[in-house]
Amino acid sequence: MIWFSALVLIPLMAVVVTAVEGGWDVFWATITNGQTSAAIRLTVLTALGVTAVNVVMGPLIAWVLVRDRFWGKSVLEVMIDIPFALPTIVAGLVLLSLYGNDSPVGVDIANERPAVFLAFLFVTLPFVVRMVQPVLEELDRDVEEAAASLGASRITTFRRIILPSLAPAIAAGAALSFARGVSEYGSLVLLSGNLPFKTEVTSVRILSSIENDNVPAAAAVATVLLAISLAVIVLLDLIQRRVAARG
Amino acid sequence: MADTLVPEIVDAPPAEERRRPPRVRKTPVTYLMRFVVTAYLFFLVAWPVSLVATNTFANGFDSIRSLVEDPDMVVALQLSAYVAVWSVVINTLFGVGISLLLVRHEFPGKRLLNALLDIPLSVSPIVVGLALVLVYGGRNGWFGPFLLDAGFQVIFSTPGIIMATTFVALPLMIREIVPVLEEIGTEQEQAAESLGASGLQRFWRITLPSIKWGITYGVVLTLARSLGEFGAVKVVSGNVLGQTRTATLAVEEKYLNFDQQGAYATAFLLAMVSVACIVVVAIIRPKNHP
């Protein structure tokens, strides 16, 4: 317990304390500063967009992995986990090699906004898939067959039977992937070029504040990120309790 | 104990039979979805990752060889390995401790602790680094000057890197062990206790063997995460060549210095380790969850 507080709680408290030390006005001025707010806006909007993609693709991938059987499926299975295990800086390099300036497919999005989107997409890939997959495996096929035998079409079955049971898992995965997207740093260093107002994300902004010895500003922006991740955690906890309550 | 287990084993195969899905009806939609998913993963994951391998071996084994011969690189790789091992050891010990605490004991603030454990997963590594600098920074951190007087530098040296790495990998171990502990319950331990086993004996003979797979996954995941940590380490390490530069920091440095071959080679090594880790998990997991 002491170890946990020394490692996690006290440092995080220090961030918040440093941020509010200068008073509310300074805090507000820091995060509404043009470059910072542009960075925060870019990060949050991109993370939302990526989460939306994941909400569609995640269950689809999970569905194929659970219900379909074909040669090479286990390879796909391993591929899902790669973005999670791969060092983020390597992830950035990896994406740069395909979508950077000497791309073999002729797509060059390095230093552009889509690069941020792509990097987020890569690192958040596993979350929704891994949340949905176990639920889908547990799902009782009898209910679906019953629905089908009562004349429900495949779409109706999906919408009325499958989707409701997957919804909490999808929501939890979406929350995680949003949090991960907002906090992503490593993969963007090489890929996005970190141009102010264009491809600079919040984490990079914090780092440049630290390097300029402007610790209060860094702490202020860090507090915003911290608040976002706390909100996500609370949301996750609520989802889990709702699922547990339903049985 | 054997008596209680036998019926389950006998029951298992029919249950498995019943749950096996009936032959899937193949429709155009099935193939379409299969195709979409494969293509998506191919463009997002498989192709980029394989390109790193191709780029590394574009000149044969030269880039790998020059990497191993570069003394700074060797130090960086050793440091990464050293930090990862320490972080795995610390997280294993405390992970088991905290998991036991969370599952077996009721105390006020338990839900809060449980929720807070997820912070390292969702908070930005940069924020983690900043937080550690603020507290343990040598000049004006909360505890830093005190520790520095005691002859112990945390930030810009190895302990800081270990702390940052341990921080970000913290939840992985706990999240693997807690479900297992919850599932096995306390009946066996109570039985052992009634037969006169001491607390330590119960832990070694009953609890530890049943969570050993959970710990194994935890170790593998923590190892992968620790080797790959970049953001938090970047803030706390100071990136001193040959002293506090880890392998991930070296990748960035090399790339920005237009040493693409070196960057790809280092990235390839790191990627190999992490792919090896997940393959290991993928192989041993099914045995545990039949």
Side-chain angles (χ1 to χ4, degrees):
Chain A
M1 203 50 227
I2 291 168
W3 169 81
F4 181 67
S5 7
L7 186 68
V8 179
L9 295 184
I10 296 176
L12 291 180
M13 262 164 53
V15 171
V16 179
V17 169
T18 318
V20 295
E21 244 168 17
W24 177 249
D25 292 339
V26 181
F27 177 76
W28 190 246
T30 316
I31 59 168
T32 48
N33 161 290
Q35 199 180 338
T36 310
S37 61
I40 295 179
R41 200 167 334 119
L42 170 70
T43 314
V44 171
L45 286 180
T46 314
L48 279 177
V50 166
T51 308
V53 174
N54 277 332
V55 163
V56 177
M57 287 309 291
L60 183 63
I61 296 173
W63 177 270
V64 170
L65 285 181
V66 173
R67 289 293 168 88
D68 208 351
R69 279 201 239 152
F70 55 96
W71 186 84
K73 199 182 87 169
S74 49
V75 179
L76 291 188
E77 189 94 40
V78 169
M79 256 155 66
I80 300 289
D81 279 331
I82 287 183
F84 184 73
L86 210 61
T88 46
I89 182 82
V90 178
L93 191 66
V94 154
L95 291 171
L96 197 61
S97 63
L98 182 58
Y99 301 107
N101 27 24
D102 43 34
S103 154
V105 281
V107 187
D108 182 7
I109 55 163
N111 308 341
E112 302 274 347
R113 281 204 170 163
V116 180
F117 193 82
L118 182 70
F120 282 11
L121 209 55
F122 185 85
V123 295
T124 58
L125 168 72
F127 291 105
V128 177
V129 180
R130 285 292 176 241
M131 291 301 262
V132 172
Q133 216 177 351
V135 183
L136 202 54
E137 266 162 12
E138 293 278 297
L139 211 60
D140 211 344
R141 249 159 204 268
D142 299 348
V143 187
E144 279 167 58
E145 274 157 22
S149 71
L150 291 171
S153 71
R154 291 183 71 132
I155 297 171
T156 318
T157 317
F158 180 75
R159 195 166 51 89
R160 302 288 293 270
I161 309 285
I162 301 171
L163 207 54
S165 24
L166 293 187
I170 297 177
L176 276 178
S177 80
F178 178 73
R180 182 67 208 274
V182 167
S183 61
E184 182 49 28
Y185 168 70
S187 60
L188 292 165
V189 180
L190 300 177
L191 194 58
S192 74
N194 306 322
L195 309 170
F197 294 104
K198 199 174 160 207
T199 58
E200 192 185 46
V201 296
T202 320
S203 300
V204 177
R205 187 85 191 108
I206 298 175
L207 189 71
S208 59
S209 294
I210 299 174
E211 281 170 350
N212 297 332
D213 243 352
N214 190 355
V215 173
V221 186
T223 308
V224 174
L225 284 191
L226 211 52
I228 295 178
S229 40
L230 270 180
V232 167
I233 288 172
V234 170
L235 188 71
L236 275 178
D237 197 47
L238 288 179
I239 295 172
Q240 270 165 7
R241 289 219 298 166
R242 232 191 74 192
V243 174
R246 213 167 38 173
Chain B
M1 196 183 82
D3 288 345
T4 59
L5 274 177
V6 169
E8 280 179 45
I9 291 168
V10 172
D11 274 345
E16 184 64 26
E17 208 68 55
R18 192 156 34 84
R19 286 191 51 152
R20 180 156 294 164
R23 194 97 194 104
V24 184
R25 197 156 43 96
K26 297 277 199 305
T27 62
V29 182
T30 318
Y31 288 104
L32 180 70
M33 292 203 312
R34 190 187 291 181
F35 174 74
V36 167
V37 166
T38 315
Y40 183 77
L41 289 177
F42 177 73
F43 277 104
L44 196 59
V45 182
W47 199 2
V49 173
S50 65
L51 265 183
V52 168
T54 342
N55 285 341
T56 307
F57 294 110
N59 304 337
F61 282 88
D62 285 356
S63 48
I64 296 273
R65 195 177 307 131
S66 64
L67 199 70
V68 181
E69 281 164 4
D70 179 0
D72 289 335
M73 236 4 261
V74 174
V75 174
L77 289 172
Q78 277 172 349
L79 180 66
S80 276
Y82 178 77
V83 167
V85 168
W86 267 108
S87 144
V88 166
V89 170
I90 297 174
N91 272 333
T92 309
L93 292 179
F94 285 96
V96 172
I98 291 187
S99 309
L100 281 172
L101 192 71
L102 275 177
V103 176
R104 296 289 157 80
H105 299 274
E106 287 298 329
F107 55 93
K110 181 174 157 179
R111 260 192 73 202
L112 188 69
L113 177 66
N114 197 11
L116 284 175
L117 280 175
D118 278 334
I119 283 190
L121 268 193
S122 62
V123 90
S124 168
I126 296 293
V127 177
V128 174
L130 174 68
L132 289 173
V133 168
L134 282 176
V135 173
Y136 298 100
R139 268 174 303 143
N140 38 22
W142 287 7
F143 304 150
F146 169 71
L147 287 170
L148 199 60
D149 288 341
F152 198 62
Q153 192 189 7
V154 178
I155 301 301
F156 302 138
S157 81
T158 319
I161 305 178
I162 295 179
M163 283 185 83
T165 311
T166 312
F167 189 128
V168 292
L170 173 76
L172 299 172
M173 179 68 76
I174 299 169
R175 290 284 166 256
E176 287 293 333
I177 301 178
V178 165
V180 184
L181 272 182
E182 272 170 356
E183 204 166 296
I184 58 173
T186 53
E187 284 154 22
Q188 295 189 8
E189 278 174 56
Q190 279 168 359
E193 192 179 7
S194 73
L195 292 172
S198 73
L200 203 62
Q201 268 179 323
R202 268 177 286 151
F203 178 74
W204 276 113
R205 311 282 294 259
I206 310 279
T207 316
L208 203 57
S210 41
I211 59 172
K212 68 170 190 253
W213 285 114
I215 295 181
T216 313
Y217 306 139
V219 165
V220 175
L221 290 175
T222 310
L223 190 68
R225 188 81 171 87
S226 310
L227 274 179
E229 184 43 35
F230 171 70
V233 171
K234 186 172 179 178
V235 178
V236 298
S237 76
N239 196 7
V240 183
L241 182 69
Q243 279 182 37
T244 60
R245 171 178 297 169
T246 62
T248 41
L249 295 175
V251 174
E252 185 200 15
E253 199 71 25
K254 278 182 184 297
Y255 192 84
L256 295 179
N257 291 336
F258 302 102
D259 177 12
Q260 292 217 359
Q261 278 299 320
Y264 278 122
T266 319
F268 176 74
L269 283 183
L270 288 169
M272 279 292 86
V273 175
S274 56
V275 170
C277 284
I278 51 178
V279 168
V280 166
V281 170
I283 291 173
I284 57 182
R285 193 170 290 250
K287 282 184 196 159
N288 196 29
H289 305 284

